[in-house]
Amino acid sequence: MLKFVAVALLLTVFVAVGEQCCTPRQWESFVGIEETKAVAGKIQVTGSYAIESYDFDRKKIALVYPETGSRQVQDYGKGLLYMITGGQCYTNPWPYSMPRCIPDNATAIATFEMGGPDGLMVEQYDLSNFLPGFHGYMQFTMPGCLPVSQTQYYDSYVTIFGFTNITEGIRDPSVFDIPSPPCPRDMDNAVEPLLFRHVQP
Ligand SMILES: *[C@@H]1O[C@H](CO)[C@@H](O)[C@H](O)[C@H]1NC(C)=O
Ligand SMILES: *[C@@H]1O[C@H](CO)[C@@H](O)[C@H](O)[C@H]1NC(C)=O
């Protein structure tokens, strides 16, 4: 009997360790965005913010930028990115898989307690674990696996996203709507670098 209990306990521990840490299936967050770039040998810093809606059931992530009225929809089911701005809509390929869980083979490169005793426990990972080919870091609360921050390096750009006030569920699913008639796939070269600043490796 004792032996049986010991085996049962071991199995329980094994299952718990094998479980992946994932974000909720639906959540929303206020996202602070800071972008630093080199312009003619000087750094230029711009701050903005967005409301992010993450929906694993719809396989979509929407970012609404209240300051400019623009909206971005990443459609992981179709592999397309939609940019809706100033009454225009553009699409681009978006061939990534939707990040949700911390992969089994990812290892935390640092663990912090933000703010000190009874502070927020945070683990930091290399961004390439979630978005292959991207350079930077991603931080999650531990336990909980809610995103805390994402830092991306690309060429002469550094973009930092800070996630705050995360709530579960989707308040207004219309953030995921795509305008009709369908967006032109054709994107002019002037818009492309602007769009990809935030998102490409
Ligand atoms: C983890 O596994 C995936 C899929 O097998 C692989 O593409 C990726 O490079 C691995 N990551 C690490 C950090 O080993
Ligand atoms: C974040 O949540 C706090 C507490 O509910 C609230 O006071 C604050 O206004 C919220 N901030 C934003 C930017 O939504």
Side-chain angles (χ1 to χ4, degrees):
M1 185 60 195
L2 262 182
K3 244 184 210 163
F4 172 78
V5 170
V7 168
L9 272 179
L10 265 180
L11 278 179
T12 310
V13 170
F14 185 75
V15 168
V17 168
E19 255 170 36
Q20 279 193 317
C21 194
C22 304
T23 68
R25 299 183 77 84
Q26 297 181 319
W27 53 266
E28 292 182 311
S29 175
F30 178 90
V31 186
I33 304 164
E34 189 183 277
E35 189 172 85
T36 304
K37 60 181 169 183
V39 179
K42 296 202 168 143
I43 63 158
Q44 199 177 82
V45 182
T46 41
S48 61
Y49 68 95
I51 311 298
E52 175 164 347
S53 301
Y54 173 104
D55 192 327
F56 196 74
D57 297 330
R58 288 185 176 85
K59 294 280 185 292
K60 283 180 178 173
I61 297 175
L63 284 152
V64 175
Y65 298 86
E67 293 162 309
T68 58
S70 58
R71 185 159 63 91
Q72 196 191 89
V73 180
Q74 303 167 6
D75 185 334
Y76 291 85
K78 292 208 172 96
L80 288 174
L81 170 72
Y82 300 87
M83 190 76 197
I84 301 128
T85 180
Q88 309 253 45
C89 177
Y90 306 92
T91 65
N92 244 35
W94 193 250
Y96 305 104
S97 57
M98 191 165 178
R100 178 163 181 241
C101 300
I102 295 177
D104 283 333
N105 62 353
T107 40
I109 48 183
T111 303
F112 308 99
E113 184 167 14
M114 288 182 116
D118 300 322
L120 185 67
M121 289 305 300
V122 168
E123 281 189 353
Q124 179 163 316
Y125 290 82
D126 202 286
L127 186 61
S128 64
N129 286 307
F130 308 91
L131 296 166
F134 283 64
H135 300 290
Y137 301 100
M138 188 85 210
Q139 295 181 333
F140 296 93
T141 59
M142 210 50 67
C145 292
L146 293 171
V148 173
S149 78
Q150 178 176 336
T151 303
Q152 265 167 242
Y153 306 100
Y154 169 55
D155 194 22
S156 55
Y157 296 103
V158 180
T159 311
I160 303 173
F161 302 87
F163 298 85
T164 58
N165 286 19
I166 296 182
T167 51
E168 261 198 71
I170 302 294
R171 265 165 295 198
D172 176 10
S174 73
V175 293
F176 299 112
D177 289 353
I178 303 306
S180 183
C183 280
R185 202 175 243 278
D186 199 28
M187 194 134 143
D188 87 48
N189 290 334
V191 180
E192 196 161 6
L194 195 85
L195 175 62
F196 272 78
R197 234 163 45 190
H198 287 272
V199 290
Q200 280 287 80

